[in-house]
PDB file of all heavy atoms in Angstrom:
ATOM      1  N   ALA I 892      11.810 -14.341  -3.825  1.00  0.00           N
ATOM      2  CA  ALA I 892      12.526 -14.845  -5.007  1.00  0.00           C
ATOM      3  C   ALA I 892      13.773 -14.000  -5.269  1.00  0.00           C
ATOM      4  O   ALA I 892      13.790 -12.803  -4.977  1.00  0.00           O
ATOM      5  CB  ALA I 892      11.605 -14.793  -6.221  1.00  0.00           C
ATOM      6  N   ARG I 893      14.806 -14.630  -5.815  1.00  0.00           N
ATOM      7  CA  ARG I 893      16.000 -13.861  -6.186  1.00  0.00           C
ATOM      8  C   ARG I 893      15.723 -13.035  -7.431  1.00  0.00           C
ATOM      9  O   ARG I 893      16.336 -11.998  -7.653  1.00  0.00           O
ATOM     10  CB  ARG I 893      17.154 -14.825  -6.518  1.00  0.00           C
ATOM     11  CG  ARG I 893      17.726 -15.494  -5.297  1.00  0.00           C
ATOM     12  CD  ARG I 893      19.240 -15.508  -5.389  1.00  0.00           C
ATOM     13  NE  ARG I 893      19.752 -16.289  -4.280  1.00  0.00           N
ATOM     14  CZ  ARG I 893      20.683 -17.223  -4.414  1.00  0.00           C
ATOM     15  NH1 ARG I 893      21.210 -17.471  -5.599  1.00  0.00           N
ATOM     16  NH2 ARG I 893      21.104 -17.876  -3.367  1.00  0.00           N
ATOM     17  N   LEU I 894      14.808 -13.566  -8.255  1.00  0.00           N
ATOM     18  CA  LEU I 894      14.515 -12.899  -9.527  1.00  0.00           C
ATOM     19  C   LEU I 894      13.041 -13.066  -9.849  1.00  0.00           C
ATOM     20  O   LEU I 894      12.496 -14.174  -9.735  1.00  0.00           O
ATOM     21  CB  LEU I 894      15.367 -13.559 -10.635  1.00  0.00           C
ATOM     22  CG  LEU I 894      15.029 -13.239 -12.081  1.00  0.00           C
ATOM     23  CD1 LEU I 894      15.326 -11.756 -12.393  1.00  0.00           C
ATOM     24  CD2 LEU I 894      15.835 -14.124 -13.047  1.00  0.00           C
ATOM     25  N   VAL I 895      12.390 -11.959 -10.225  1.00  0.00           N
ATOM     26  CA  VAL I 895      11.024 -12.030 -10.734  1.00  0.00           C
ATOM     27  C   VAL I 895      11.077 -11.561 -12.186  1.00  0.00           C
ATOM     28  O   VAL I 895      11.579 -10.461 -12.467  1.00  0.00           O
ATOM     29  CB  VAL I 895      10.053 -11.140  -9.916  1.00  0.00           C
ATOM     30  CG1 VAL I 895       8.652 -11.174 -10.525  1.00  0.00           C
ATOM     31  CG2 VAL I 895       9.990 -11.615  -8.460  1.00  0.00           C
ATOM     32  N   ILE I 896      10.614 -12.406 -13.100  1.00  0.00           N
ATOM     33  CA  ILE I 896      10.579 -12.025 -14.520  1.00  0.00           C
ATOM     34  C   ILE I 896       9.148 -11.617 -14.833  1.00  0.00           C
ATOM     35  O   ILE I 896       8.230 -12.453 -14.758  1.00  0.00           O
ATOM     36  CB  ILE I 896      11.011 -13.213 -15.412  1.00  0.00           C
ATOM     37  CG1 ILE I 896      12.477 -13.568 -15.129  1.00  0.00           C
ATOM     38  CG2 ILE I 896      10.816 -12.875 -16.891  1.00  0.00           C
ATOM     39  CD1 ILE I 896      12.983 -14.791 -15.878  1.00  0.00           C
ATOM     40  N   ALA I 897       8.943 -10.350 -15.170  1.00  0.00           N
ATOM     41  CA  ALA I 897       7.593  -9.875 -15.503  1.00  0.00           C
ATOM     42  C   ALA I 897       7.432  -9.908 -17.015  1.00  0.00           C
ATOM     43  O   ALA I 897       8.365  -9.565 -17.747  1.00  0.00           O
ATOM     44  CB  ALA I 897       7.396  -8.459 -14.979  1.00  0.00           C
ATOM     45  N   ASN I 898       6.245 -10.323 -17.489  1.00  0.00           N
ATOM     46  CA  ASN I 898       6.071 -10.477 -18.940  1.00  0.00           C
ATOM     47  C   ASN I 898       5.757  -9.163 -19.658  1.00  0.00           C
ATOM     48  O   ASN I 898       5.630  -9.143 -20.881  1.00  0.00           O
ATOM     49  CB  ASN I 898       5.006 -11.550 -19.251  1.00  0.00           C
ATOM     50  CG  ASN I 898       3.618 -11.149 -18.785  1.00  0.00           C
ATOM     51  OD1 ASN I 898       3.448 -10.177 -18.046  1.00  0.00           O
ATOM     52  ND2 ASN I 898       2.620 -11.911 -19.188  1.00  0.00           N
ATOM     53  N   SER I 899       5.646  -8.059 -18.903  1.00  0.00           N
ATOM     54  CA  SER I 899       5.453  -6.740 -19.529  1.00  0.00           C
ATOM     55  C   SER I 899       5.731  -5.664 -18.482  1.00  0.00           C
ATOM     56  O   SER I 899       5.799  -5.959 -17.273  1.00  0.00           O
ATOM     57  CB  SER I 899       4.015  -6.581 -20.043  1.00  0.00           C
ATOM     58  OG  SER I 899       3.123  -6.585 -18.943  1.00  0.00           O
ATOM     59  N   GLN I 900       5.850  -4.435 -18.950  1.00  0.00           N
ATOM     60  CA  GLN I 900       5.997  -3.304 -18.014  1.00  0.00           C
ATOM     61  C   GLN I 900       4.732  -3.199 -17.167  1.00  0.00           C
ATOM     62  O   GLN I 900       4.791  -2.848 -15.986  1.00  0.00           O
ATOM     63  CB  GLN I 900       6.191  -1.989 -18.791  1.00  0.00           C
ATOM     64  CG  GLN I 900       7.543  -1.842 -19.462  1.00  0.00           C
ATOM     65  CD  GLN I 900       8.707  -1.742 -18.472  1.00  0.00           C
ATOM     66  OE1 GLN I 900       8.499  -1.559 -17.259  1.00  0.00           O
ATOM     67  NE2 GLN I 900       9.912  -1.896 -18.982  1.00  0.00           N
ATOM     68  N   ALA I 901       3.581  -3.487 -17.806  1.00  0.00           N
ATOM     69  CA  ALA I 901       2.301  -3.385 -17.086  1.00  0.00           C
ATOM     70  C   ALA I 901       2.284  -4.355 -15.900  1.00  0.00           C
ATOM     71  O   ALA I 901       1.866  -3.983 -14.792  1.00  0.00           O
ATOM     72  CB  ALA I 901       1.148  -3.696 -18.042  1.00  0.00           C
ATOM     73  N   SER I 902       2.763  -5.583 -16.110  1.00  0.00           N
ATOM     74  CA  SER I 902       2.802  -6.560 -15.017  1.00  0.00           C
ATOM     75  C   SER I 902       3.802  -6.119 -13.951  1.00  0.00           C
ATOM     76  O   SER I 902       3.569  -6.275 -12.750  1.00  0.00           O
ATOM     77  CB  SER I 902       3.206  -7.945 -15.534  1.00  0.00           C
ATOM     78  OG  SER I 902       2.279  -8.399 -16.459  1.00  0.00           O
ATOM     79  N   ARG I 903       4.943  -5.564 -14.421  1.00  0.00           N
ATOM     80  CA  ARG I 903       5.977  -5.118 -13.473  1.00  0.00           C
ATOM     81  C   ARG I 903       5.443  -3.980 -12.592  1.00  0.00           C
ATOM     82  O   ARG I 903       5.590  -3.985 -11.369  1.00  0.00           O
ATOM     83  CB  ARG I 903       7.222  -4.654 -14.243  1.00  0.00           C
ATOM     84  CG  ARG I 903       8.340  -4.172 -13.333  1.00  0.00           C
ATOM     85  CD  ARG I 903       9.581  -3.749 -14.132  1.00  0.00           C
ATOM     86  NE  ARG I 903      10.677  -3.462 -13.215  1.00  0.00           N
ATOM     87  CZ  ARG I 903      10.916  -2.277 -12.677  1.00  0.00           C
ATOM     88  NH1 ARG I 903      10.126  -1.250 -12.980  1.00  0.00           N
ATOM     89  NH2 ARG I 903      11.924  -2.102 -11.836  1.00  0.00           N
ATOM     90  N   THR I 904       4.798  -3.011 -13.245  1.00  0.00           N
ATOM     91  CA  THR I 904       4.288  -1.851 -12.507  1.00  0.00           C
ATOM     92  C   THR I 904       3.252  -2.276 -11.468  1.00  0.00           C
ATOM     93  O   THR I 904       3.300  -1.839 -10.308  1.00  0.00           O
ATOM     94  CB  THR I 904       3.656  -0.841 -13.499  1.00  0.00           C
ATOM     95  OG1 THR I 904       4.660  -0.504 -14.452  1.00  0.00           O
ATOM     96  CG2 THR I 904       3.163   0.406 -12.817  1.00  0.00           C
TER      97      THR I 904
END
Side-chain angles (χ1 to χ4, degrees):
R893 287 223 186 133
L894 167 67
V895 177
I896 296 176
N898 65 349
S899 65
Q900 288 294 348
S902 299
R903 180 179 187 271
T904 303

